[in-house]
Amino acid sequence: MAEGSNLTRAGMRRGPLMLAIMAVALAAWLWRRGGTPPLGEIAWWCAFLATTLIRIPHAKKAAAIPTRASHVDRQEAWLMLLVTAGMMLLPFLQLATPLLDVFTIALPRAATSAGIALLVPGLWLFWRSHADLARNWSPTLELRQGHRLVDTGLYAHIRHPMYAAIWLIVIAQPLLLHNLVAGLGAPLAFAAMYALRVPREEAMMDRHFGELYAAYARRTGRIWPRFTR
Ligand code: SAH
């Protein structure tokens, strides 16, 4: 299992293809919407590009660090696919093609504003959690060689700041996109991932770090910060 990371590397290999799809979707969206794209859609693209830019350097570094133990199975692979569909492929379909137009919903401008307001802490948390986790980050259930238990920065108070960030971003999605399918796909897909992955991730950390992790879990909150000494 020790050979250099597998899923992270596979992700890196798919990287150029993903970037190409992204560029085509962006160009098609600009072309479709002409000079006046809706504010919510602009905000969605800004957030999407920001999360991509935050993640790329971490994904590049992570691909170079060998994996010590991988717990990626069929369930985990399906969850990753589901979340990619909800957070990327459905929005691309809505924005770049007319296929999801029938699912458009009329939302007040306040909804768009609320979505943008959620993105601000969401993106900040996303950026900080990647910085705090540094070389210990992986996109899936893996432990790196020389994996360290991070309990500083955001991780001093919450065990899953990156998932907290993703919650904020996926809840913002329907408020920004005003489309039932492309909007709700993300929170539904992420809800499934969160519910199924978090217990497994914590069990993996618990097996690996033992009492160190158990004590860490007692003094932190899952996605709601706990401020104890
Ligand atoms: N659940 C965390 C991390 C997501 S990245 C969050 O939401 O912020 C997923 C990987 O991070 C896991 O596979 C695990 O290897 C690693 N990880 C999770 N918590 C960690 C911690 N406190 N210290 C070090 N690595 C951690």
Side-chain angles (χ1 to χ4, degrees), residues 133 136-138 140-143 147-150 155 159-163 201 204-205 216:
L133 212 51
N136 303 290
W137 174 79
S138 68
T140 179
L141 291 178
E142 292 173 338
L143 288 163
H147 205 109
R148 198 173 67 77
L149 176 65
V150 177
Y155 290 85
R159 296 198 288 289
H160 303 290
M162 202 175 289
Y163 299 157
E201 183 175 320
M204 174 186 85
M205 298 295 283
Y216 169 67

Side-chain angles (χ1 to χ4, degrees), residues 27 33 35 44 49 79 85 101 103 118 143 154 171 175 183 185 195 215:
R33 296 291 191 253
W44 185 87
L49 295 173
L79 286 175
D101 284 358
F103 302 108
L118 289 173
L143 288 163
L154 295 173
I171 292 169
L175 301 171

